[in-house]
C-alpha cells in the first residue's frame, strides 16, 4: 500500500510502479513509486528477493517381493512462470530404503541432490510398498489305487516363487 498521511492511494490513478534489477533471489532489487495525477514525485525502495518455495515429492510406487527396487519419479510443485526442472542444478537422486529381498512392507523413497539459485527446495519422501510374492501350489494328477496298507499321496509342485529361493513341499496322507 502507498499512503500519504491517512490517505491510501490507488495504483494506476494516484501512482505507478516500476521495477529495476529484479531478476534473482538473494539480490537487492528496486521498486520505483512515481506519483500521478495530483500527486507528484518519485520514491525508490530497495528490497531483497526471497527464494520461491519449490516442493519436490517422490512419487509412491508398488513392487512385489523379489523385484528390484524402483521409483516412479518425482513431482514438482512451485515453479514460477514457465520455468521447469531445467533451471535446477545438480543431479536428482532417489534414495530407496528397500533392498531386493528385504521383507515385504513400506519403505521411504527420498529425493535429494538438486539445488537452485531462485528456489528454496523442500524434498518430500514418497513410499515404496513391497507386496508379498504370491506363489502357486499345483497338485499332480489324481491317483487311484486299491487299498494296500501303504501311504499314498499325489505329487505337488510350487510355481512362481522367487528365483534363487528354495521351496520344500511335503505331502502326507
Amino acid at each position: 500500500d502507498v499512503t500519504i498521511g491517512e490517505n491510501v492511494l490507488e495504483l494506476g490513478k494516484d501512482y505507478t510502479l516500476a521495477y529495476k534489477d529484479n531478476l534473482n533471489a538473494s539480490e537487492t532489487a528496486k521498486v520505483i513509486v512515481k506519483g500521478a495525477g495530483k500527486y507528484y514525485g518519485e520514491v525508490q525502495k530497495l528490497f531483497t528477493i526471497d527464494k520461491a518455495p519449490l516442493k519436490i515429492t517422490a512419487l509412491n510406487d508398488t513392487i512385489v517381493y523379489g523385484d528390484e527396487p524402483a521409483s516412479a519419479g518425482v513431482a514438482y510443485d512451485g515453479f514460477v512462470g514457465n520455468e521447469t526442472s531445467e533451471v535446477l542444478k545438480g543431479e536428482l537422486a532417489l534414495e530407496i530404503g528397500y533392498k531386493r529381498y528385504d521383507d515385504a512392507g513400506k519403505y521411504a523413497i527420498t529425493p535429494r541432490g538438486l539445488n537452485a539459485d531462485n528456489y528454496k527446495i523442500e524434498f518430500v519422501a514418497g513410499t515404496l510398498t513391497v507386496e508379498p510374492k504370491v506363489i502357486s501350489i499345483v497338485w499332480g494328477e489324481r491317483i487311484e489305487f486299491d487299498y494296500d496298507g501303504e501311504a499314498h499321496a499325489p505329487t505337488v509342485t510350487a510355481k512362481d516363487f522367487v528365483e534363487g529361493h528354495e521351496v520344500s513341499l511335503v505331502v502326507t496322507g
Side-chain angles (χ1 to χ4, degrees), residues 132-148:
K133 175 78 171 169
V134 176
I135 63 170
S136 301
I137 305 296
V138 180
W139 290 101
E141 293 181 25
R142 178 181 168 166
I143 58 172
E144 291 186 25
F145 58 92
D146 291 329
Y147 178 75
D148 60 7

Side-chain angles (χ1 to χ4, degrees), residues 16-38:
T16 59
L17 297 175
Y19 300 92
K20 188 173 182 181
D21 299 327
N22 299 359
L23 299 176
N24 296 308
S26 302
E27 293 180 355
T28 300
K30 185 185 300 185
V31 62
I32 302 164
V33 181
K34 192 172 190 176
K38 64 181 182 176

Side-chain angles (χ1 to χ4, degrees), residues 61 63-71 96 98-101 128:
D61 201 6
I63 63 171
V64 174
Y65 173 80
D67 290 349
E68 285 290 340
S71 171
I96 302 174
Y98 170 80
K99 303 288 183 264
R100 189 173 187 194
Y101 304 126
L128 174 65

Side-chain angles (χ1 to χ4, degrees), residues 86-135:
E86 297 294 318
V87 301
L88 302 176
K89 297 176 182 177
E91 189 172 327
L92 177 64
L94 295 167
E95 185 176 296
I96 302 174
Y98 170 80
K99 303 288 183 264
R100 189 173 187 194
Y101 304 126
D102 282 351
D103 292 338
K106 296 190 180 294
Y107 296 85
I109 304 171
T110 307
R112 59 180 170 80
L114 296 174
N115 60 68
D117 294 335
N118 291 323
Y119 291 96
K120 181 179 179 184
I121 298 175
E122 175 189 0
F123 292 104
V124 179
T127 302
L128 174 65
T129 301
V130 180
E131 296 180 340
K133 175 78 171 169
V134 176
I135 63 170

